[in-house]
Amino acid sequence: MAAVKQSCLSANTASSACRRRRLEWSLNEKRIADALTDAESTLKKGESLPVEYATMLINACARKRRTDEAWDWLNKFLHAGIIPDAQLFNTLLYAYAQSADKAGLDRVLNLMHTRRIPPNVVTYTIIMNYYSCTRNPAQSLLTYADAVECGIVPDGRMNFQLLEAYLLQNEFMLAVRHFRFMVTAGFYSSYALWALVHGLAKAGKVEKAHSILRWTRRAGLATDVRTYTSLMHAYARQKLGAKVYRLFDAMRKSGIDPDVACYNVLVWTAVNVDKCVPKAGQFMRDMIEQKLQPDVVTVNIMLHGLVNAGEIERAAKILADAQIFGDVVTFTIMINGLMKLGHRGRINATAIFDHMKQGHLPVPDIVAFTVMIQGYARNRDTLPLAYQYFADLLTRGLRPDACVFNSLLTAHARFGDELTAVRLYSDMLNAGIKPTVETFTILIGMYTRQTRSSSRRSAEKAMHIFEDMLKQNIAPDALAFTAYVKAFVKGGDLTSLRKLLAEMRRLDVHPDTTFYRGMLAACVSYPMAAVSVLRVMLGSGIIPDARCCRLARQANLQLQRISESEWAVSGEGTTWYVGVPKPAPSDCGNGIDPG
């Protein structure tokens, strides 16, 4: 009898070991369903599982974003008598953090507290990561302080989360200081360098980001192509093409090979900064020589440059030769270029768009419909077709945005159809679509086109539109102010014009020379209005260029520079002296702007 019992016990042990091996194999092969079935079978037989197996199962559920199922399994393991460790809880904690599930996060932490499992450095790092992902850097900093107070020694990952919190809170000096500490403490990583450079560049502190990269290189630390690409992109956005190319050359000299994203920045710079499509084409050829395949972003940038240059046929050839099936952006760029080529171009654009609607090409989105509406809204004769595409857009269940309405508003404003434009604006508001600053600029511009006999009434209407814009908490930009100024200039209302210029300063709108040039062009027939514009311009520290001086002369005004800090404006038998403030010194030493 004892021999039989011993035989059964050995068989059960062998069966248990077999189930564990099968479970381990399923986990290693990422066969999650089989692993969960084996785990369920094991627990039903009253057998236990090693805590590392339980951790692997919960991690498998978490990776599939099945956090509720992972939570249920955690409770099953606990009821089965598995003694959990911090790693088991951290696995589920990380899943909730990645899902931005604060309730789940708190639930796991409370369970850890109930089970008297102290959080470790990984636990605090996950919590900090959650707060960073949810854009709450203040809480991330408090979590770091709590961890240190509890005797936790921060490791490299926790220090990186602190760096990220400083960047999210715009504490750039602290971020730079902490990065230097990470280097000294041996926690440096190229990812941390990229995060710092990217954060500084995104905030407009490109020179400071560049100085950090140079310091890192001098220290002999490893850098990667992603950091260089991020900095090149920042210089490209600032229209500093020469710095983009110098940075690229420096990267190549340091032995770092460019990737597709890096070449895309070069192509974008050539197209949008240098306005030189041949140079962009050369970068594409260099890219192919480096055995890098241009992606859809590369093709879209090239198409955009060629379309803007009017080389539609060449753009079509590049699209055909690229051997890349473009996305909806690709074909939208082509349609946009064709719509600008008159009747024949519109026919070809319509053919491409019809193929997109039929499903032979990527399905058109709201931007593609907007391009078609804009194209047909340019002429009065084709405006009904624009409304057909608008109806088609609604039929397909797409919700029109402000850009769609702005396209139609622009057409009616250009054609002087005030009643339809106002009705369209009302429909836009009734549909719950918030107008943009462009919407108000179009409406204000429509009233400034009225004849001089009705200019006083037009100025009043423009004033109501401007007030409506402020009521909706939409900050007017330089173009909106330009349109509004023209309404007062045509109405001869200099008092309101001066108030408007003062309002512009109050709203912290800082126009450039181009803006003032446009206002002076509108004031050529109104010398006193031109005087007001020039006085504001000079008082803002903007020196008139040659074209501004020529416009002033056309308004029978004389501009004279008395000294570096004073100008004189003469006209209508009067001379006005205007002080020109000196530009504020920039903090170039550390790359941090004042305030």
Side-chain angles (χ1 to χ4, degrees):
M1 190 69 179
V4 172
K5 290 177 66 177
Q6 182 65 34
S7 176
C8 290
L9 184 62
S10 299
N12 286 336
T13 304
S15 177
S16 175
C18 181
R19 277 195 297 273
R20 286 193 183 186
R21 283 198 300 271
R22 191 167 60 244
L23 173 60
E24 185 176 3
W25 179 84
S26 298
L27 287 169
N28 290 335
E29 294 296 319
K30 296 182 173 55
R31 298 178 63 170
I32 309 304
D34 292 344
L36 294 176
T37 302
D38 291 337
E40 187 82 46
S41 173
T42 301
L43 294 179
K44 280 183 178 178
K45 291 182 180 297
E47 299 173 6
S48 183
L49 282 173
V51 67
E52 58 267 21
Y53 281 16
T55 304
M56 290 170 69
L57 279 167
I58 289 177
N59 185 46
C61 292
R63 283 185 177 178
K64 297 288 184 181
R65 301 286 181 182
R66 288 148 53 177
T67 50
D68 290 338
E69 188 176 356
W71 172 259
D72 291 340
W73 273 103
L74 175 62
N75 285 289
K76 286 180 183 179
F77 292 141
L78 295 178
H79 289 310
I82 294 176
I83 301 175
D85 57 7
Q87 184 179 356
L88 178 63
F89 284 103
N90 288 341
T91 301
L92 187 54
L93 201 67
Y94 180 75
Y96 281 123
Q98 291 299 298
S99 303
D101 187 345
K102 182 66 165 63
L105 205 72
D106 291 338
R107 197 162 57 200
V108 176
L109 290 172
N110 290 334
L111 187 57
M112 287 181 73
H113 180 72
T114 303
R115 291 273 174 170
R116 296 183 178 179
I117 296 177
N120 57 18
V121 64
V122 177
T123 311
Y124 283 106
T125 302
I126 292 170
I127 298 171
M128 290 179 69
N129 180 55
Y130 163 77
Y131 285 125
S132 293
C133 291
T134 54
R135 301 286 170 178
N136 192 351
Q139 283 297 325
S140 183
L141 294 173
L142 287 174
T143 302
Y144 183 88
D146 290 344
V148 173
E149 190 176 335
C150 292
I152 298 293
V153 179
D155 59 3
R157 292 185 178 181
M158 193 172 183
N159 274 286
F160 174 78
Q161 291 301 326
L162 182 59
L163 173 68
E164 199 166 47
Y166 283 142
L167 290 171
L168 287 172
Q169 211 168 30
N170 296 329
E171 296 283 358
F172 298 113
M173 289 290 287
L174 292 175
V176 172
R177 193 179 303 160
H178 185 66
F179 176 77
R180 291 178 184 270
F181 161 76
M182 289 176 67
V183 172
T184 306
F187 295 137
Y188 171 79
S189 68
S190 58
Y191 188 75
L193 172 64
W194 169 81
L196 180 59
V197 168
H198 180 73
L200 290 170
K202 192 176 179 181
K205 306 182 185 304
V206 187
E207 291 301 330
K208 182 61 180 177
H210 198 171
S211 70
I212 291 292
L213 177 60
R214 284 194 293 262
W215 178 81
T216 307
R217 283 166 50 194
R218 284 196 300 269
L221 300 171
T223 55
D224 58 12
V225 64
R226 178 170 47 183
T227 305
Y228 278 95
T229 302
S230 182
L231 193 54
M232 287 166 59
H233 182 264
Y235 278 130
R237 289 293 177 184
Q238 291 186 346
K239 307 295 184 184
L240 300 173
K243 290 194 174 185
V244 173
Y245 302 136
R246 282 202 297 270
L247 199 57
F248 178 76
D249 291 339
M251 181 188 73
R252 295 295 296 270
K253 288 178 181 177
S254 61
I256 299 174
D257 293 326
D259 59 6
V260 174
C262 185
Y263 270 110
N264 284 346
V265 174
L266 293 175
V267 175
W268 191 93
T269 305
V271 168
N272 295 283
V273 179
D274 299 336
K275 309 295 182 185
C276 184
V277 178
K279 183 187 284 189
Q282 182 59 50
F283 284 133
M284 277 192 71
R285 288 189 289 274
D286 293 345
M287 189 177 181
I288 295 169
E289 287 177 4
Q290 296 292 325
K291 295 184 172 25
L292 294 173
Q293 178 64 36
D295 60 6
V296 69
V297 176
T298 321
V299 174
N300 287 350
I301 295 169
M302 278 298 298
L303 291 181
H304 179 74
L306 290 168
V307 164
N308 285 345
E311 300 183 38
I312 306 299
E313 293 182 0
R314 190 177 165 205
K317 185 177 184 306
I318 282 185
L319 180 59
D321 294 344
Q323 298 180 349
I324 293 174
F325 187 73
D327 57 6
V328 65
V329 177
T330 309
F331 293 99
T332 302
I333 292 171
M334 288 297 298
I335 290 171
N336 184 43
L338 290 168
M339 291 297 285
K340 298 175 182 177
L341 298 181
H343 177 67
R344 187 64 187 171
R346 286 195 295 270
I347 291 175
N348 292 331
T350 303
I352 294 176
F353 194 80
D354 288 342
H355 279 294
M356 294 175 73
K357 290 197 297 182
Q358 292 164 8
H360 304 308
L361 296 174
V363 178
D365 59 4
I366 188 68
V367 179
F369 271 101
T370 304
V371 169
M372 293 299 292
I373 292 170
Q374 283 177 347
Y376 280 113
R378 287 193 178 98
N379 300 316
R380 189 187 292 272
D381 296 337
T382 58
L383 185 57
L385 290 172
Y387 275 96
Q388 287 183 19
Y389 281 102
F390 182 76
D392 191 8
L393 180 152
L394 297 175
T395 304
R396 289 175 171 269
L398 295 173
R399 187 172 186 268
D401 57 8
C403 291
V404 175
F405 278 97
N406 288 347
S407 302
L408 296 171
L409 276 173
T410 301
H412 292 296
R414 187 189 306 119
F415 303 145
D417 191 355
E418 180 183 335
L419 292 177
T420 307
V422 172
R423 189 179 70 245
L424 197 62
Y425 174 62
S426 178
D427 292 342
M428 182 180 181
L429 296 178
N430 293 335
I433 298 169
K434 186 176 181 180
T436 63
V437 65
E438 289 80 12
T439 310
F440 292 106
T441 303
I442 293 165
L443 292 171
I444 293 171
M446 176 179 67
Y447 291 122
T448 62
R449 294 190 184 98
Q450 303 290 338
T451 60
R452 187 166 182 175
S453 59
S454 60
S455 57
R456 176 71 68 175
R457 182 172 59 87
S458 299
E460 292 174 357
K461 291 180 179 179
M463 185 187 301
H464 291 313
I465 293 292
F466 192 83
E467 290 172 352
D468 192 17
M469 175 167 53
L470 297 179
K471 285 178 184 176
Q472 297 193 41
N473 294 322
I474 296 177
D477 59 6
L479 287 176
F481 273 111
T482 303
Y484 198 24
V485 162
K486 289 179 181 178
F488 288 123
V489 169
K490 294 189 79 173
D493 189 351
L494 297 183
T495 303
S496 297
L497 173 61
R498 294 188 184 98
K499 288 181 180 178
L500 178 64
L501 294 173
E503 179 74 4
M504 187 171 63
R505 290 196 297 272
R506 187 187 70 80
L507 291 173
D508 201 28
V509 176
H510 300 292
D512 56 8
T513 308
T514 305
F515 167 77
Y516 284 110
R517 194 186 300 142
M519 287 209 297
L520 284 172
C523 299
V524 165
S525 302
Y526 308 92
M528 294 306 296
V531 168
S532 297
V533 171
L534 285 168
R535 291 177 68 183
V536 173
M537 178 181 182
L538 291 166
S540 302
I542 297 178
I543 305 301
D545 59 8
R547 292 175 64 183
C548 288
C549 293
R550 187 161 56 250
L551 289 168
R553 286 195 297 272
Q554 290 177 17
N556 295 320
L557 299 175
Q558 293 295 324
L559 278 172
Q560 184 180 1
R561 187 167 192 164
I562 306 300
S563 64
E564 288 188 4
S565 60
E566 189 177 23
W567 281 65
V569 182
S570 303
E572 300 288 315
T574 309
T575 299
W576 294 267
Y577 294 95
V578 184
V580 179
K582 292 183 179 180
S586 60
D587 190 2
C588 299
N590 56 14
I592 307 292
D593 295 333

